Amino acid sequence: MMKSGFIGIIGRPNVGKSTLLNSILGEKIAITTDKPQTTRNSIRGIYTRFDQDGDADGVQMVFIDTPGIHKARNKLGAAMTDMALSTFKEVDVILFLVDGSIKKGPGDKYIVDLIKDLDTPKILVINKIDTMGPEEYKEIFDEYHELGVFDSIFGTSALEGKNVPALLDKIEEYMEEGPMFFPEDMVTDHPERFIVSEIIREKVLNYLEEEVPHGVAIEIESYKEEPNITRIGAVIYCEKKSHKGIIIGKQGKKLKGIGKAARLEIEALLGTKVYIELWVKVKENWRDSDFALSNFGYKE
């Protein structure tokens, strides 16, 4: 018997949702940085496991990593939050990630209020247990347990993979008999071009100062696969002329660093040599432009 289902990973920005997804899959499909709102699209990760006796029994769990739910300051923020909230309606299990007390801020309380009346099974994941002591963990556990909202509560360190296998076993209990939605060797339904653009954006985020990253979008202009090399041309869009100078850096050094870091990771992903050419263009206030958001794939 094959079991399958969809699982939504939700939470505030920067609690480790993408790190957890990558840990579950055993490879990187979602970018991670220390900056909030790194994830902008819903990323689907596909976990497939067959029983060891060699027959067709097994499980396929499709995880949907959503943008962090936050108070929107522009149309991009609103589109990201809408994307996350729509996940509630299409999944069989909700994983709600937190990394601290519910008193930490209004964000976690807001999400609890959104999901508390849903019939969908809800699992609370207290992430980053590698950074907290037993007493702090117990305090957070008790706080959420008393709400009576969650079917199960797990402590994990997505970064270290701690308790992730036990969490998977628990999620599997909620899966019902069903079809395999994707081929067994597929780990994401996103095309390589999308993952490549996300890798470039991750490197931009890692290289830049605080005020620039959220105003950056990536567009793949050309993607040509040749026998021994893949040639990629990409545009980094920013919102201000001053940001363009920051991204390029003195004598182009920052842009070269972004390009090299992206190339090395893309070569590992594609298993071939990669030539990458990057340009930087200004598109003022694109985060509040419906046309631009649609063009960059953040809005239908």
Side-chain angles (χ1 to χ4, degrees):
M1 180 183 74
M2 190 75 187
K3 297 197 295 182
S4 60
F6 290 80
I7 302 98
I9 307 176
I10 65 169
R12 283 182 297 100
N14 227 29
V15 291
K17 298 182 295 297
S18 298
T19 305
L20 178 63
L21 179 61
N22 292 337
S23 179
I24 287 168
L25 300 176
E27 62 181 277
K28 179 174 170 179
I29 67 156
I31 67 170
T32 57
T33 75
D34 60 359
K35 295 178 174 68
Q37 300 167 42
T38 296
T39 300
R40 286 180 179 169
N41 301 76
S42 289
I43 312 281
R44 283 184 184 83
I46 304 151
Y47 173 89
T48 307
R49 198 203 69 238
F50 290 102
D51 291 351
Q52 291 178 336
D53 54 17
D55 58 27
D57 291 352
V59 65
Q60 184 171 81
M61 297 188 272
V62 183
F63 290 87
I64 304 172
D65 176 23
T66 61
I69 296 171
H70 62 286
K71 189 175 180 181
R73 293 198 179 102
N74 48 48
K75 287 184 178 179
L76 173 62
M80 287 161 61
T81 297
D82 287 347
M83 213 179 290
L85 297 180
S86 70
T87 300
F88 299 162
K89 301 166 190 169
E90 59 182 72
V91 297
D92 303 293
V93 176
I94 291 172
L95 288 191
F96 175 33
L97 259 70
V98 300
D99 61 358
S101 166
I102 200 166
K103 303 184 194 88
K104 203 172 173 182
D108 289 329
K109 176 73 168 60
Y110 171 64
I111 297 171
V112 169
D113 288 341
L114 284 172
I115 65 174
K116 66 182 179 184
D117 295 325
L118 295 174
D119 293 331
T120 312
K122 295 171 280 290
I123 299 174
L124 181 81
V125 180
I126 303 169
N127 193 33
K128 305 183 185 178
I129 58 171
D130 52 307
T131 65
M132 59 182 77
E135 286 183 12
E136 185 184 354
Y137 174 76
K138 185 179 183 305
E139 186 183 322
I140 298 166
F141 183 101
D142 291 344
E143 196 176 55
Y144 279 97
H145 180 68
E146 285 166 14
L147 297 175
V149 170
F150 299 97
D151 299 88
S152 299
I153 300 178
F154 272 80
T156 64
S157 168
L159 196 62
E160 298 179 355
K162 198 177 290 180
N163 281 1
V164 173
L167 176 62
L168 278 171
D169 289 342
K170 174 53 71 175
I171 298 166
E172 188 177 340
E173 291 177 19
Y174 294 103
M175 299 294 100
E176 296 182 355
E177 187 175 352
M180 274 183 63
F181 295 100
F182 299 97
E184 61 183 275
D185 59 349
M186 199 169 173
V187 293
T188 181
D189 64 344
H190 277 291
E192 286 174 346
R193 284 174 75 117
F194 171 80
I195 298 174
V196 163
S197 71
E198 285 288 272
I199 288 170
I200 296 168
R201 189 164 66 86
E202 178 188 63
K203 303 315 171 195
V204 173
L205 290 173
N206 287 337
Y207 269 76
L208 294 186
E209 284 83 0
E210 286 299 319
E211 77 275 13
V212 181
H214 300 310
V216 164
I218 310 298
E219 185 175 38
I220 304 295
E221 284 206 328
S222 61
Y223 190 97
K224 192 176 179 187
E225 294 173 319
E226 297 176 5
N228 299 312
I229 193 167
T230 296
R231 300 181 187 276
I232 299 165
V235 178
I236 301 169
Y237 284 100
C238 57
E239 290 190 307
K240 296 178 181 177
K241 285 181 182 176
S242 59
H243 290 175
K244 181 177 179 178
I246 293 169
I247 294 167
I248 294 171
K250 196 172 181 182
Q251 296 178 322
K253 282 185 180 175
K254 196 159 277 190
L255 190 62
K256 283 177 190 166
I258 291 166
K260 183 180 178 182
R263 177 179 59 78
L264 292 171
E265 191 162 322
I266 294 164
E267 284 181 342
L269 170 76
L270 302 180
T272 184
K273 281 194 174 298
V274 168
Y275 173 78
I276 187 165
E277 197 165 0
L278 298 176
W279 298 271
V280 183
K281 294 181 182 179
V282 178
K283 194 181 281 278
E284 291 184 4
N285 301 318
W286 68 262
R287 284 180 293 177
D288 273 317
S289 160
D290 290 325
F291 177 77
L293 291 176
S294 177
N295 210 31
F296 293 140
Y298 298 129
K299 204 173 179 181
E300 290 183 1

